[in-house]
Amino acid sequence: HATQMSTKNFYKFISYKTTTMLHRNFIIIFALFGVASSVFQLEESNCTDTHYFSPLARHKIQEFDHFLFYIAHDISSFFTIALFLYLWNIGKSNPNHKYFGRLLCLPLSIAIISGFLLIYKRSIQTDLTKPVRSLFTVTLQTQGWNLISISINAFSMKSWICNNKFSICLTMLHIYDFYLGLKSLGLLLSIIFQWTGDPADNAFVETSWNLLFIMSLPQLLNELTYIWIHFWNRRQNYINFNWIAHHNMSVFFLSFMSIPGIFFSFAHDKYWVFYPDGIRSAYVRAAVMMIPMATLLAINLPMVIRSANSHFVKCPEKLS
C-alpha cells in the first residue's frame, strides 16, 4: 500500500512539474515554432512577390501580420489537438488528466483569440469578393462563439455552473450563439438555393454545402442541447446536476467543433499531400471531410446521449 501511495505521489509530482514547466515556458516554445515557421515561409517566398501563404492551409494573403496570426493559430491549434488526444487516451483516472487538462486552456485560448483576429483580417481582405468574405466571416464567427460557450461549460467548476446568475449569463450566451447559428444557416441556404447552375459558382456553392454539414448544423444542435440542459437544471435548482457527465459531453463537443477546419483544409489541399492539382472530385472532398467526423460522432454518440440524459432527472421534491 505504501508503495502504491508513493507511486501515485510520484506521478502527481512529475505531472505537476511537467505542467508547471510547460506553463512557464509555453510562450518560449510558441515563439520558437513561430520563428521556425516564419523562416521557412520567407525562404520559400519569391522576393519579387508581395504575398504570403498561410503555413498549413496555404491561403494566399497579402499582409505579414495576417501571416503571423496564422502562425499563432496553427501552433496553438496543434498543441490543443495534441493535448485533446493525450487526455482522451489516458482517461480521467490518470493523475495526469487534471494537470494537462488545465494546461489545455492556454493553447485553446490562444487558438480562439487568434481565430477571431483571422476572421477580422478575412473580412477586410481586398482580393476576395464580398460574398466570399461574408460566407467565411459569418460561419467562422459563429464557430468561434460556439467554442467559447462550450469551453465555459467544459472547464467551469460545478459551483460556478450551479450558480443561478452564472447559469443565466451562460444560457444567454448560448441563445446568442444560437441566433448566430441561425444567421449562418440562413446565409448558407440562400447561397445553395439561389445557385443558377453557373460553373463559376461551383466552388462557392460546394463550400456552402460543406460548411452546412460539418459546422452549421452541429453547432445549432449542441447549442440547443445546452439551452435545454441549463433551462431544465435551473428549474430543478441544480440539485441533481451531474457535473462529470456535463464535463465529458462538453469536452466531446469542444473536440468535435474544433476539427472541421482541419478536415476542410486537408480536403482542399494542393500543396502538402495532393500536390499539385488537389482532389478533383467534389464528392471525394466531401467524403474526406464528413466520414471522419461522422465516425467520431458515431463512436461517441452513446456517451453524449447518456451524459445529456443524466441531466434530466427530477429532484425528489419535484417527484413528490
Side-chain angles (χ1 to χ4, degrees), residues 98-111:
K98 179 175 66 175
Y99 301 107
F100 282 92
R102 293 172 181 172
L103 178 65
L104 172 63
C105 297
L106 183 58
L108 178 62
S109 300
I110 296 176

Side-chain angles (χ1 to χ4, degrees), residues 26 29 38 51 56 58 66 100 105 122 126 140 153-154 163 178 188 207 229 257 271 281 312:
F26 185 82
I29 298 171
S38 300
H51 68 259
L56 296 180
R58 310 300 297 170
H66 196 175
F100 282 92
C105 297
R122 179 62 64 93
T126 57
L140 295 177
N153 281 277
N163 180 279
F178 187 72
L188 294 173
T207 299
I229 284 174
M257 293 306 300
Y271 183 84
S281 171
F312 306 122

Side-chain angles (χ1 to χ4, degrees), residues 141-265:
Q141 182 184 30
T142 302
Q143 184 198 24
W145 282 107
N146 181 229
L147 292 175
I148 290 174
S149 62
I150 298 174
S151 299
I152 294 173
N153 281 277
F155 299 114
S156 295
M157 293 184 292
K158 181 179 180 179
S159 58
W160 296 0
I161 295 181
C162 294
N163 180 279
N164 190 54
K165 293 181 180 179
F166 185 88
S167 175
I168 291 174
C169 293
L170 188 53
T171 304
M172 294 301 295
L173 176 59
H174 285 300
I175 293 173
Y176 174 69
D177 291 345
F178 187 72
Y179 160 74
L180 291 179
L182 290 177
K183 185 178 177 181
S184 176
L185 178 65
L187 176 63
L188 294 173
L189 291 178
S190 66
I191 293 172
I192 291 170
F193 288 109
Q194 290 177 9
W195 182 48
T196 60
D198 185 355
D201 294 330
N202 284 354
F204 192 45
V205 176
E206 179 196 340
T207 299
S208 301
W209 274 110
N210 295 336
L211 294 177
L212 176 67
F213 285 102
I214 69 174
M215 191 176 296
S216 181
L217 292 179
Q219 183 263 337
L220 285 171
L221 289 174
N222 73 60
E223 291 294 356
L224 274 177
T225 302
Y226 279 119
I227 291 171
W228 179 240
I229 284 174
H230 288 294
F231 174 76
W232 174 268
N233 279 288
R234 270 205 315 280
R235 288 186 59 191
Q236 305 296 317
N237 297 319
Y238 284 90
I239 294 176
N240 287 337
F241 178 69
N242 189 336
W243 183 84
I244 294 178
H246 189 77
H247 173 74
N248 291 338
M249 181 186 71
S250 298
V251 170
F252 169 73
F253 282 156
L254 188 59
S255 307
F256 190 77
M257 293 306 300
S258 298
I259 60 176
I262 298 173
F263 292 116
F264 184 88
S265 298

Side-chain angles (χ1 to χ4, degrees), residues 25-37 68-77 79 106-107 110-111 114:
N25 298 285
F26 185 82
I27 299 301
I28 297 176
I29 298 171
F30 192 90
L32 290 175
F33 270 85
V35 170
S37 301
L68 293 179
F69 292 153
Y70 268 112
I71 289 287
H73 189 68
D74 289 347
I75 296 173
S76 56
S77 298
F79 279 105
L106 183 58
I110 296 176
S114 59

